[in-house]
Amino acid sequence: PERKTLLNLGKYVLVGTQTVIEPSRLEYKGRDVYLPGHIGDYTIIGMGAKVKAYYIGNFVSIGKDSIIGDRVIIQDGAHIGDGVVVPAGTVVP
């Protein structure tokens, strides 16, 4: 049987200490629905970051203490600096 997961991690993903990674949440008909997320290969997530992104591409860098909102899509090669807040539903090229 096929296994369903809420988060798929790529190869060589580095996650800093005190980082929180949660599945994206969407309210649908009065109920919370959690969307499966993806973190691509060679991605670095800095210390203390809070991530609820739906999709993070390959070779992405997220700075320390950043906040990535629900349902955010971060495309390949993006760099997000330290302390940056990316609002829910944003697409980062």
Side-chain angles (χ1 to χ4, degrees):
E2 185 179 334
R3 291 176 46 171
K4 302 280 184 182
T5 61
L6 281 177
L7 181 63
N8 293 311
L9 289 177
K11 298 183 297 187
Y12 307 107
V13 174
L14 297 175
V15 179
T17 59
Q18 298 179 337
T19 296
V20 177
I21 300 175
E22 299 177 358
S24 280
R25 183 181 62 83
L26 178 66
E27 189 173 322
Y28 179 73
K29 295 185 179 181
R31 297 181 59 185
D32 288 338
V33 177
Y34 292 94
L35 305 172
H38 173 81
I39 298 177
D41 299 341
Y42 304 99
T43 293
I44 300 171
I45 301 174
M47 297 184 325
K50 293 174 180 47
V51 178
K52 292 185 178 183
Y54 169 67
Y55 178 85
I56 298 173
N58 300 316
F59 301 99
V60 171
S61 173
I62 297 173
K64 67 179 183 174
D65 299 320
S66 294
I67 299 173
I68 311 298
D70 282 316
R71 301 174 316 280
V72 168
I73 295 173
I74 302 173
Q75 296 179 353
D76 292 348
H79 172 76
I80 297 172
D82 294 345
V84 172
V85 177
V86 180
T90 302
V91 176
V92 179

